[in-house]
Amino acid sequence: MDIKQQLQDALKVAVTETQNIETIPDIKIEIPKDKNNGDFSTNLAMVLTKLARKNPRVIAEELVDNLDKEALSIESVDIAGPGFINFKMSSASLTNIIDRVLEEKENYGRTVRDDKESILIEFVSANPTGALHIGHARNAAVGETLANILDFAGYDVSREYYINDAGNQINNLACSIDARFFQALGEDMSLPEDGYHGKDIKEIGVELAERHPEYKDLDDETRIKKFRELGVEYEMRNLKQDLADFGVHFDNWFSEMSLYEKNEVEAALEAIKANGFTYEEDGALWLRTTDFKDDKDRVLIKSDGSYTYLMPDIAYHYDKLERGFDTLINLFGADHHGYINRLKGAIGALGQDPERLEIEIMQMVRLIEDGKEVKMSKRTGNAVTLRELMELIGVDAARFFLAMRSADTPFDFDLSLAKSESSENPVYYVQYAHARICSILRQAKEQGFEIDTTKGYDVIEHPQALELLKKIGSFPEIVKNAAKNRANQRITNYVQELASEFHKFYNQEKVLGENEDKTYAYLAMIEATRQTIENALRLVGVSAPEKM
């Protein structure tokens, strides 16, 4: 158990025994910005003022008197200002974290839950009509990082990609391939008005003309159906390869077509009707999403009898619910903000709690190089693709940069910074800290030093060493909060702060010094630092190099 958790638990007991209140509020333990205020601080006494109907300093004194300071390894407690409680911990309480990290290794920071909440996270889900672009790349990086964090925090996580293989876009794809196919055979055929002009579509058409010229003799309906299947297969093969190379993997690739094959569109529609949330007007069937905070009701079946785009989306979420997931998380693009209330309304119309569905809207990414916005690929003249981004700066830099901002904020991606080998580049800064530790450990081994946890850590007294240990000790709580708040950026922020604390320590203290006891203690401490950096980077999908 980390120090913050121990203090929270002890304060909770103290509140129960000293204050006559029914419900104990959340107890927040912070690390003060001013180190003179101790190692940890809480505003609990002020939070309790209205509930306990007492002066906050009186409450603070009662709480402090009830704490077993020796058992908690508290060196001293100070009540400051209107009622802040500041704790200064003994060195032993901080050095205890070293053995925990070295024992748990790659599992340090992981939470094990007996009652796992099951979460289905759906992300990327780009139409299989062309290469993934920079916006999809951000969705992929954030989605995979969030899934990793949730898994590490003890949730039962499934990753899913929804393949839109049944809509008008796929008809346009098939017709575009058809045009390119006949063009490759030397016939004059123009692309459809809403067709796809990408290089990949031309390549498919040429390949089909070379391998299967006999397809020209098929009737139009049969040929277009064939090209639909082949086009989706081709595009999905490329998408899967790009995502795999980006370190993004899915547990399930869900086909929209399967909803029709399993009659789930009809099943979802019947469920909504049975719950009384539909009505007919102007020859169309409407869903009363205004009952669930939507700004207007939505059409499910148009007057010509065809489904709107919303109906298969509802059927897809009906399928998710039928599979028994506790929570559904969707990562949508910036142009999907209007989907939030209508999809939540659909969940309610299906008889489920709309809050089981969480929708994260991914804001736009601007690529910046040398201070100027990069809108088009230098190679193709089209939008910069995920593949090109990986080739430009590598997977590590792309994953870290795209995951280091809150998904709901626009992001300027500085390519020049991502390419640089300097302390200004956050991923380089963190990886360099890891590589530097590995270098020190190699030097230590050459000098005959191995990590030995039996030597003890009493000699660790330097203030910067203790700051480093506090930062290491906060990792499990950071993971929990990042998972709870769906905030992937908390991990990237944390690992930069951890690297900073290590660099500060290394610049002030020698690890391989003349004091042998201190050398052994410091070697164990920096190995705990290295392991924590590696664990944090793994959540983001970034490597922890031993040499740079």
Side-chain angles (χ1 to χ4, degrees):
M1 186 184 296
D2 59 51
I3 297 171
K4 283 188 177 182
Q5 188 65 56
Q6 289 177 324
L7 290 173
Q8 285 171 330
D9 291 348
L11 285 168
K12 189 173 183 179
V13 171
V15 172
T16 302
E17 294 185 356
T18 64
Q19 310 302 316
N20 184 26
I21 60 175
E22 294 182 3
T23 304
I24 300 176
D26 288 340
I27 300 173
K28 293 184 178 180
I29 305 292
E30 307 288 348
I31 296 177
K33 291 182 180 179
D34 185 350
K35 295 182 177 67
N36 293 323
N37 290 332
D39 297 310
F40 299 98
S41 179
T42 182
N43 65 346
L44 178 60
M46 289 173 285
V47 173
L48 292 173
T49 300
K50 287 185 178 180
L51 295 172
R53 297 180 180 180
K54 296 179 185 176
N55 182 290
R57 285 191 67 92
V58 171
I59 296 173
E61 290 168 1
E62 291 172 346
L63 295 177
V64 168
D65 289 343
N66 195 265
L67 296 175
D68 186 337
K69 300 171 189 63
E70 185 176 346
L72 291 167
S73 298
I74 296 173
E75 188 174 297
S76 63
V77 185
D78 172 50
I79 299 172
F84 287 103
I85 305 174
N86 298 326
F87 302 93
K88 183 172 177 54
M89 311 303 294
S90 69
S91 297
S93 71
L94 297 172
T95 57
N96 285 341
I97 195 64
I98 296 173
D99 286 339
R100 179 181 171 187
V101 178
L102 299 188
E103 180 181 337
E104 297 181 10
K105 294 186 168 75
E106 68 274 6
N107 286 318
Y108 174 62
R110 179 181 288 280
T111 298
V112 178
R113 298 170 181 266
D114 294 328
D115 53 339
K116 281 191 173 185
E117 177 186 339
S118 62
I119 297 177
L120 177 65
I121 177 167
E122 180 218 332
F123 57 109
V124 186
S125 297
N127 292 333
T129 54
L132 297 171
H133 56 60
I134 185 67
H136 299 133
R138 187 183 194 188
N139 195 298
V142 170
E144 181 70 14
T145 300
L146 180 55
N148 290 341
I149 293 168
L150 289 167
D151 174 75
F152 210 60
Y155 297 88
D156 184 7
V157 182
S158 292
R159 301 159 172 83
E160 188 157 282
Y161 188 115
Y162 180 55
I163 306 171
N164 293 273
D165 55 1
N168 286 331
Q169 298 95 332
I170 305 304
N171 285 329
N172 291 336
L173 173 70
C175 292
S176 300
I177 293 171
D178 192 51
R180 292 302 193 190
F181 169 75
F182 279 105
Q183 288 174 6
L185 291 175
E187 298 190 24
D188 184 19
M189 181 178 284
S190 58
L191 283 164
E193 186 178 341
D194 297 325
Y196 294 98
H197 295 254
K199 181 182 176 184
D200 52 336
I201 306 301
K202 192 171 185 178
E203 289 174 351
I204 299 172
V206 171
E207 182 180 328
L208 287 170
E210 290 175 351
R211 296 177 59 186
H212 298 287
E214 71 277 8
Y215 285 171
K216 70 179 188 301
D217 298 323
L218 296 173
D219 64 80
D220 289 351
E221 184 178 344
T222 303
R223 191 179 62 256
I224 292 297
K225 182 180 179 182
K226 172 70 71 175
F227 288 170
R228 280 172 62 98
E229 295 170 356
L230 292 173
V232 170
E233 182 183 313
Y234 176 92
E235 295 290 359
M236 286 308 302
R237 186 164 61 245
N238 289 341
L239 292 179
K240 288 180 179 182
Q241 187 61 59
D242 284 352
L243 288 167
D245 291 345
F246 197 46
V248 175
H249 302 277
F250 290 91
D251 300 300
N252 191 33
W253 301 81
F254 191 101
S255 163
E256 181 183 351
M257 285 295 294
S258 69
L259 295 170
Y260 297 94
E261 293 164 359
K262 295 187 292 185
N263 294 319
E264 287 198 288
V265 179
E266 292 84 353
L269 183 58
E270 289 306 313
I272 291 171
K273 285 181 177 179
N275 290 331
F277 289 103
T278 61
Y279 64 92
E280 292 187 18
E281 187 175 288
D282 299 328
L285 184 70
W286 295 71
L287 174 63
R288 284 208 317 275
T289 50
T290 49
D291 287 2
F292 303 94
K293 301 179 182 178
D294 198 6
D295 59 338
K296 61 181 180 180
D297 292 339
R298 305 291 170 173
V299 177
L300 297 179
I301 301 179
K302 293 182 280 189
S303 57
D304 63 4
S306 62
Y307 292 124
T308 62
Y309 70 90
L310 181 59
M311 194 58 237
D313 284 347
I314 294 173
Y316 176 40
H317 287 80
Y318 171 80
D319 182 277
K320 290 180 180 181
L321 294 167
E322 287 293 297
R323 282 183 272 161
F325 292 102
D326 297 316
T327 301
L328 311 177
I329 300 177
N330 294 354
L331 268 57
F332 283 168
D335 57 343
H336 285 66
H337 194 274
Y339 283 49
I340 297 176
N341 285 339
R342 73 189 70 167
L343 274 182
K344 280 182 168 286
I347 297 293
L350 287 167
Q352 301 293 330
D353 181 0
E355 295 309 307
R356 288 177 63 184
L357 173 64
E358 300 175 18
I359 298 178
E360 303 286 338
I361 298 295
M362 309 290 303
Q363 292 300 327
M364 302 295 289
V365 182
R366 287 199 318 159
L367 288 179
I368 307 294
E369 189 167 26
D370 299 327
K372 297 179 181 178
E373 184 176 357
V374 180
K375 290 187 177 181
M376 298 297 177
S377 161
K378 294 175 183 177
R379 184 193 312 161
T380 66
N382 297 318
V384 176
T385 65
L386 169 58
R387 173 61 57 186
E388 188 172 13
L389 182 67
M390 289 190 283
E391 292 171 356
L392 280 170
I393 62 172
V395 172
D396 282 349
R399 285 288 300 264
F400 196 96
F401 271 71
L402 288 168
M404 72 180 188
R405 295 286 184 272
S406 175
D408 61 2
T409 58
F411 175 47
D412 284 353
F413 192 132
D414 190 334
L415 288 172
S416 302
L417 180 61
K419 293 176 186 176
S420 70
E421 295 184 357
S422 72
S423 60
E424 299 300 314
N425 179 347
V427 66
Y428 180 86
Y429 184 70
V430 172
Q431 289 182 318
Y432 183 68
H434 186 273
R436 175 178 265 183
I437 293 172
C438 291
S439 175
I440 297 168
L441 294 173
R442 285 193 298 271
Q443 292 175 44
K445 194 169 186 178
E446 290 168 3
Q447 295 178 27
F449 288 99
E450 299 279 354
I451 292 173
D452 187 345
T453 58
T454 65
K455 299 288 187 180
Y457 310 117
D458 292 345
V459 292
I460 298 181
E461 297 176 335
H462 192 280
Q464 192 54 52
L466 298 178
E467 288 300 312
L468 178 57
L469 288 169
K470 278 194 282 185
K471 185 59 67 175
I472 295 170
S474 67
F475 182 53
E477 183 187 27
I478 292 291
V479 174
K480 289 177 187 176
N481 287 335
K484 180 181 178 181
N485 294 287
R486 319 301 194 227
N488 48 281
Q489 73 276 7
R490 295 194 182 185
I491 301 299
T492 53
N493 290 343
Y494 167 81
V495 76
Q496 289 178 75
E497 292 166 3
L498 177 58
S500 176
E501 294 296 350
F502 166 73
H503 288 306
K504 288 177 190 174
F505 160 75
Y506 185 73
N507 291 334
Q508 294 178 34
E509 277 282 86
K510 276 190 174 182
V511 175
L512 303 176
E514 296 177 358
N515 185 322
E516 189 173 287
D517 289 340
K518 188 175 281 189
T519 293
Y520 276 113
Y522 278 169
L523 285 174
M525 183 181 73
I526 67 168
E527 169 57 18
T529 307
R530 185 208 65 75
Q531 184 69 68
T532 308
I533 290 174
E534 180 187 303
N535 290 2
L537 287 177
R538 188 171 62 250
L539 296 180
V540 189
V542 174
S543 67
E546 296 185 6
K547 294 180 180 179
M548 290 180 71

